[in-house]
């Protein structure tokens, strides 16, 4: 099998001789997909960036060669590498919103790529742009390509990035976490599109991901990286069926976790009956209501003490509206009872007390933690609001105890700021902030989607332990079915504001009734 790219003995270091990629050897055969998997900081992206000589400032090449067309890319001149980038070798990044220029229209950005590398007229570039948009399934946008990136959905933006990446029929496509920020249904569409384009063009693909379920669908060969080194590599079947290295075995086992079945005879802590959330659509000078966005339609369910309810669905399915309704942050119709009390009967003066028992943990802890507050200030903020007369000593002791509960040392961390922590540590701080008020219900909105597989597993294990210790009830929102399978006792599947299917978690995964649910589950098989 002939190799398109051969990476030989590649080593990269930062300042102070900190080696971050160490003697890496990777072969990418023609027409095949090679995946690099590993946690953040393992060197996956740096290895990929070195192929295009796009190492960040401070990163230095220590040794190695990258052979493409019998030539070492690392020795190419600026002019030679410019002819390769976006032409013979192209890239798709994780977040298309930051990769696309918000100041230029989609067609202008695509035409620029064509005109840079091909000797064609502007009119021909316009025609090719429309053809490319249609090829990636953007028929509606191809008729009006003078749109800006912020006017498109996440899936549409990623399709535009794919169209740009294949514009010049590249030999190699580098896809760096191209589906991580997308809903599972959109993710499946993008992966299928990439496979179809690869088959049509006969191109090779370097696929970077920490999601082994995605890698299993896409890759022919897999390289596992840890701490800058390749610790194992083989074809897909050997890696998934017969892993040799302990770390590889751990990654695969994390992806296949199933929550132990429990029988719940406890009372209902939340009861929802015929819930409706409609947002008015107003038009005209007088802003009259002409229609409604029906975010939630006739939704009914209950949550028992110490139970975890997993809620899954794509963007726009009503997950967030449901949470806002439970917290009484938006108007809704129907009944929402918490501990047997209808929240509509709660007086405004008692709202603060009511919300103390329901805390929320968000998807991105970096944006949900104030960058100007220390860890102690962040965690104790709830105490200050709900118990303004609490003594300073008692407050410090409570912060110390709860930090210990989430696996962080008080003396080492209390006066540090969020930017000084890793993603997993920040999420632990967010959990501590929620737990310090002794809530009965935790709402977890995609709390692990921004984390690596190994860190995801640590957070899930922590949450399960805390749930058992403090008799907590969880509402766990996610589009990642692997995570839902690992944490949920019962699952609600939402689509377009309607309940598609609900059942115990093992029943949903072993015997789904609805076609939409079956498609979601396919993402983890």
């Amino acid at each position: 099998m002939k190799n398109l790219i051969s990476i030989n003995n590649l080593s990269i270091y930062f300042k102070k001789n900190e080696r971050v990629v160490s003697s890496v050897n990777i072969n990418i055969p023609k027409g095949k997909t090679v995946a690099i998997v590993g946690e953040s900081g393992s060197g996956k992206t740096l290895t990929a960036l070195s192929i295009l000589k796009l190492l960040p400032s401070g990163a230095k090449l220590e040794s190695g060669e990258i052979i493409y067309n019998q030539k070492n890319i690392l020795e190419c001149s600026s002019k030679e590498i410019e002819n390769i980038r976006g032409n013979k070798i192209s890239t798709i990044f994780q977040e298309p919103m930051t990769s696309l220029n918000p100041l230029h229209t989609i067609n202008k950005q695509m035409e620029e790529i064509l005109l840079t590398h091909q000797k064609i007229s502007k009119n021909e570039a316009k025609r090719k742009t429309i053809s490319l948009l249609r090829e990636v399934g953007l028929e509606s946008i191809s008729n009006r390509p003078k749109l800006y990136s912020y006017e498109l959905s996440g899936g549409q933006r990623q399709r535009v990035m794919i169209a740009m990446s294949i514009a010049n029929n590249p030999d190699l496509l580098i896809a760096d976490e191209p589906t991580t920020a997308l809903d599972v249904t959109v993710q499946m569409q993008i992966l299928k599109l990439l496979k179809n384009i690869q088959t049509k063009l006969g191109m090779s693909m370097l696929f970077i991901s920490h999601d082994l379920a995605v890698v299993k669908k896409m890759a022919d060969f897999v390289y596992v990286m840890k701490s800058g080194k390749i610790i194992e590599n083989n074809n897909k079947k050997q890696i998934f069926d017969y892993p040799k290295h302990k770390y590889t075995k751990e990654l695969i086992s994390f992806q296949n976790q199933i929550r132990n079945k429990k029988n719940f005879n406890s009372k209902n802590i939340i009861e929802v009956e015929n819930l409706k959330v409609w947002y008015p659509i107003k038009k005209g000078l007088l802003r009259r209501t002409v229609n409604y966005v029906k975010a939630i339609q006739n939704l009914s369910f209950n949550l028992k003490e110490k139970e975890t309810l997993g809620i899954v669905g794509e963007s726009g399915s009503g997950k967030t509206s449901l949470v806002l309704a439970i917290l009484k942050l938006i108007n809704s119709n129907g009944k929402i009872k918490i501990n047997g009390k209808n929240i509509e009967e709660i007086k405004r003066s008692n709202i603060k007390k009511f919300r103390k028992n329901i805390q929320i943990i968000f998807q991105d802890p970096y944006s949900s933690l104030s960058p100007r507050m220390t860890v102690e200030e962040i965690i104790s903020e709830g105490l200050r609001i709900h118990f303004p007369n609490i003594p300073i000593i008692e407050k410090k002791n409570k912060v110390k105890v709860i930090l210990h509960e989430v696996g962080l040392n008080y003396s080492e961390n209390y006066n540090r700021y969020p930017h000084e922590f890793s993603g997993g540590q920040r999420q632990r701080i967010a959990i501590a902030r929620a737990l310090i008020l002794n809530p009965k219900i935790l709402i977890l909105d995609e709390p692990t989607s921004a984390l690596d597989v190994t860190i995801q597993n640590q957070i899930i294990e922590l949450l399960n332990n805390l749930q058992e210790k403090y008799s907590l009830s969880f509402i766990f929102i996610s589009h990642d079915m692997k995570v839902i399978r690992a944490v949920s006792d019962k699952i609600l599947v939402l689509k377009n504001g309607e309940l598609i299917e609900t059942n115990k978690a093992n029943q949903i995964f072993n015997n789904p009734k609805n076609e939409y649910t079956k498609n979601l589950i396919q993402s983890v098989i």
Side-chain angles (χ1 to χ4, degrees):
M1 193 179 297
K2 193 171 182 181
N3 292 324
L4 175 73
I5 298 273
S6 290
I7 301 174
N8 303 318
N9 197 36
L10 183 71
S11 294
I12 300 167
Y13 68 94
F14 279 102
K15 295 173 183 176
K16 300 180 181 177
N17 295 321
E18 178 193 352
R19 188 183 283 181
V20 287
V21 173
S22 183
S23 302
V24 164
N25 294 282
I26 296 174
N27 290 317
I28 306 173
K30 284 189 174 181
K32 299 295 183 181
T33 299
V34 171
I36 306 177
V37 299
E39 58 198 34
S40 288
S42 61
K44 308 187 299 293
T45 299
L46 274 179
T47 301
L49 290 174
S50 65
I51 295 174
L52 291 171
K53 293 184 74 173
L54 288 174
L55 291 176
S57 60
K60 305 288 183 183
L61 181 70
E62 183 179 2
S63 65
E65 61 179 13
I66 299 174
I67 304 299
Y68 168 66
N69 280 345
Q70 300 180 332
K71 189 167 186 177
N72 185 0
I73 287 176
L74 300 178
E75 294 177 351
C76 286
S77 65
S78 296
K79 189 173 182 180
E80 287 174 320
I81 200 69
E82 282 172 11
N83 186 50
I84 292 174
R85 288 181 195 145
N87 187 21
K88 300 298 182 183
I89 302 175
S90 59
T91 56
I92 307 170
F93 295 104
Q94 179 174 355
E95 182 42 74
M97 189 63 181
T98 56
S99 304
L100 294 169
N101 191 327
L103 300 178
H104 294 299
T105 57
I106 296 302
N107 66 309
K108 185 175 180 180
Q109 294 181 66
M110 292 185 65
E111 287 164 19
E112 183 182 8
I113 286 177
L114 291 163
L115 292 168
T116 300
H117 294 288
Q118 297 183 31
K119 294 179 180 179
I120 57 175
S121 66
K122 285 189 176 181
N123 285 333
E124 182 63 20
K126 282 182 174 34
R127 284 195 293 270
K128 283 200 170 189
T129 293
I130 291 169
S131 175
L132 283 164
L133 288 170
R134 287 174 178 165
E135 191 171 341
V136 297
L138 294 174
E139 289 281 345
S140 59
I141 293 172
S142 68
N143 297 324
R144 49 191 183 100
K146 292 184 178 181
L147 292 170
Y148 293 90
S149 56
Y150 58 80
E151 297 180 89
L152 307 179
S153 69
Q156 288 173 324
R157 286 194 290 264
Q158 200 60 294
R159 285 173 185 267
V160 169
M161 283 297 300
I162 293 170
M164 292 169 71
S165 70
I166 65 168
N168 297 304
N169 297 327
D171 294 329
L172 174 68
L173 175 61
I174 300 172
D176 189 357
E177 302 273 12
T179 61
T180 300
L182 305 175
D183 292 326
V184 66
T185 47
V186 179
Q187 184 183 91
M188 296 296 286
Q189 292 167 14
I190 295 298
L191 295 177
K192 187 177 180 181
L193 174 63
L194 284 170
K195 269 293 186 187
N196 290 341
I197 289 171
Q198 181 182 28
T199 303
K200 183 178 178 179
L201 299 181
M203 67 183 181
S204 301
M205 197 183 310
L206 179 60
F207 199 94
I208 299 169
S209 181
H210 65 257
D211 190 332
L212 291 189
V214 171
V215 167
K216 194 172 184 179
K217 288 187 184 332
M218 295 295 292
D220 298 299
F221 302 94
V222 180
Y223 288 77
V224 183
M225 281 192 87
K226 182 173 172 60
S227 303
K229 296 179 180 178
I230 301 292
I231 60 168
E232 185 170 358
N233 72 282
N234 215 319
N235 62 55
K236 176 173 65 177
K237 182 173 175 57
Q238 291 296 318
I239 288 290
F240 282 94
D241 294 348
Y242 311 104
K244 292 183 172 59
H245 197 280
K246 181 184 175 184
Y247 178 70
T248 310
K249 291 175 182 177
E250 284 178 357
L251 285 180
I252 292 169
S253 69
F254 292 162
Q255 299 272 321
N256 298 320
Q257 281 192 324
I258 301 173
R259 184 170 167 94
N260 294 329
K261 287 188 284 186
K262 295 179 183 178
N263 292 317
F264 291 92
N265 299 315
S266 53
K267 68 174 186 175
N268 291 333
I269 193 165
I270 294 182
E271 296 170 89
V272 175
E273 296 177 23
N274 300 319
L275 181 67
K276 291 182 183 179
V277 177
W278 291 11
Y279 299 106
I281 300 172
K282 297 185 178 183
K283 287 186 178 180
L285 186 64
L286 300 177
R287 308 300 294 161
R288 288 195 176 97
T289 299
V290 296
N291 207 338
Y292 292 89
V293 174
K294 298 174 182 178
I296 295 179
Q297 289 266 67
N298 298 318
L299 179 61
S300 299
F301 68 90
N302 59 62
L303 174 69
K304 295 182 179 293
E305 289 179 345
K306 297 177 70 172
E307 185 180 37
T308 299
L309 175 67
I311 301 179
V312 296
E314 58 198 28
S315 291
S317 61
K319 303 189 299 291
T320 301
S321 293
L322 172 60
V323 169
L324 295 175
I326 290 172
L327 291 169
K328 208 179 177 184
L329 290 170
I330 58 173
N331 294 324
S332 61
N333 293 316
K335 286 185 179 179
I336 301 175
K337 289 184 178 180
I338 296 179
N339 275 330
K341 187 166 186 178
N342 192 332
I343 65 169
E344 290 300 319
E345 298 171 2
I346 299 173
K347 295 178 181 178
R348 180 170 290 187
S349 58
N350 292 326
I351 284 289
K352 189 195 293 186
K353 186 178 179 182
F354 154 73
R355 289 192 182 131
K356 181 178 76 71
N357 291 316
I358 307 176
Q359 293 295 302
I360 187 164
I361 298 168
F362 298 98
Q363 178 175 358
D364 183 2
Y366 192 71
S367 60
S368 65
L369 301 176
S370 172
R372 297 184 178 184
M373 296 170 71
T374 64
V375 167
E376 184 169 46
E377 289 169 339
I378 288 167
I379 294 174
S380 64
E381 187 178 21
L383 293 175
R384 179 174 56 79
I385 291 168
H386 291 281
F387 307 100
N389 298 320
I390 187 172
I392 293 174
I393 296 296
E394 186 181 345
K395 185 168 68 174
K396 277 187 175 292
N397 285 335
K398 282 182 177 289
V399 173
K400 190 181 294 186
V401 169
I402 207 66
L403 273 175
H404 176 74
E405 289 284 8
V406 299
L408 294 173
N409 184 281
Y410 174 82
S411 59
E412 292 176 3
N413 298 300
Y414 79 98
N415 61 348
R416 294 168 67 192
Y417 292 87
H419 71 272
E420 299 178 80
F421 295 89
S422 68
Q425 288 173 322
R426 285 195 288 263
Q427 199 59 291
R428 289 173 184 268
I429 293 165
I431 293 169
R433 176 179 62 179
L435 288 180
I436 200 163
L437 292 172
N438 296 319
K440 297 299 179 188
I441 301 164
L442 269 189
I443 296 173
L444 301 117
D445 189 0
E446 302 273 12
T448 61
S449 66
L451 306 175
D452 294 323
V453 175
T454 46
I455 309 300
Q456 270 188 9
N457 184 68
Q458 292 170 17
I459 296 298
I460 289 169
E461 189 175 342
L462 171 65
L463 287 168
N464 285 336
N465 291 337
L466 291 170
Q467 181 179 37
E468 196 65 33
K469 183 171 183 177
Y470 291 105
S471 299
L472 295 166
S473 299
F474 290 167
I475 294 178
F476 202 106
I477 298 170
S478 182
H479 67 259
D480 190 331
M481 295 299 285
K482 300 181 298 300
V483 172
I484 287 292
R485 182 171 59 179
V487 301
S488 301
D489 299 301
K490 187 167 64 182
I491 295 174
L492 257 65
V493 183
L494 298 179
K495 186 179 182 185
N496 298 328
E498 295 184 356
L499 179 61
I500 296 295
E501 187 170 356
T502 182
N503 212 327
K504 291 181 179 177
N506 62 315
Q507 292 293 323
I508 288 284
F509 277 93
N510 294 332
N511 189 27
K513 306 292 184 189
N514 188 276
E515 196 63 33
Y516 178 72
T517 311
K518 290 176 185 177
N519 290 335
L520 289 179
I521 292 169
Q522 284 299 313
S523 67
V524 295
I525 295 174

